[in-house]
Amino acid sequence: MEIILARDMGFCWGVRRAIEIMERAAQEKGEIISLGPIVHNPLVMARLEEKGVRLLRDGQLPKEQPLAITAHGAGPEVYERARAEGVEVIDTTCPIVTRSQRWAKKMAEQGFTVVVFGDAEHREVKGVLAWSRGKGIAVTDVDEVPPDVSRIAVISQTTQNPDKFADFVARLLKERMDTIHELRLVNTLCNVTSTQQEAARELAREADVVIVVGGRSSANTRHLVEVCREEGAETYHIERADELDPSWLQGKEKVGITAGASTPDWAVEEVVARIRQLSGQQLTS
Ligand code: SF4
């Protein structure tokens, strides 16, 4: 049985960077409090907790420990509150997200309504909107854009699908041409997502079965599952190696593995080891 790894998968550089900064800070300070999970992966969070990175649970800022802002970023009110309460901030916001926040702020200050193409409940989007100081809205469809706005700045959640973003902008232009006086478009997409999805497509075309490794609540991992299924591949989503069902591998020659942007390398290595073990068992039985 051949195991094929997607040519691009797992942690993006933004998340690797955030984890490194937090681990270093936790080692130096003894303990730090993270404003939400660093990644949507309970296994990663459990390991980080062992190293002294705890989650902020009740919304109250810590008294003793520093507050760490995750790669998703946060709104200006978080920095302001921390400053007012004398709490040290360790900022691991991904530079691509910071760029998005700066555009939201700048456009709002220039009188534009900031339209963020993305999930209103996502932490990155909430943070970006907060930088527009109440002059922004998150939408996933043109119908959700208020009809009475004439100056619009459109930006995107970094991990949105580029084709969907392009379709959205095209529809906005077509359907609102008579009411829009000025439209600014800032491309704030991160290419990590599209590169990983493209690699997953290639993998799905080549493999007999694809195993996607990643947290169940990770939207990015679920997109990889969809992409592989769109290519017609038999695809399974697991969080841990022990969830692998040996029957999935029966009669398969090529097993493809990919992983969401919140999946650490060691989780993928454990899956590879488990597949090797299972295929060895099959051969000897
Ligand atoms: Fe990773 Fe891109 Fe998100 Fe940064 S913007 S954290 S590089 S996926």
Side-chain angles (χ1 to χ4, degrees), residues 123 160 284:
R123 279 190 292 148
Q160 280 294 315
T284 52

Side-chain angles (χ1 to χ4, degrees), residues 66-123:
L67 175 75
I69 291 171
T70 64
H72 303 93
E77 72 289 353
V78 174
Y79 296 85
E80 286 158 7
R81 224 180 110 196
R83 202 177 307 127
E85 295 184 25
V87 176
E88 181 187 352
V89 170
I90 293 164
D91 194 353
T92 78
T93 307
C94 174
I96 298 178
V97 176
T98 303
R99 178 173 171 267
S100 197
Q101 294 172 343
R102 290 205 179 124
W103 273 108
K105 178 174 185 286
K106 184 171 160 180
M107 291 290 92
E109 283 169 358
Q110 290 181 15
F112 286 86
T113 297
V114 178
V115 171
V116 182
F117 179 68
D119 174 3
E121 294 306 312
H122 194 280
R123 279 190 292 148

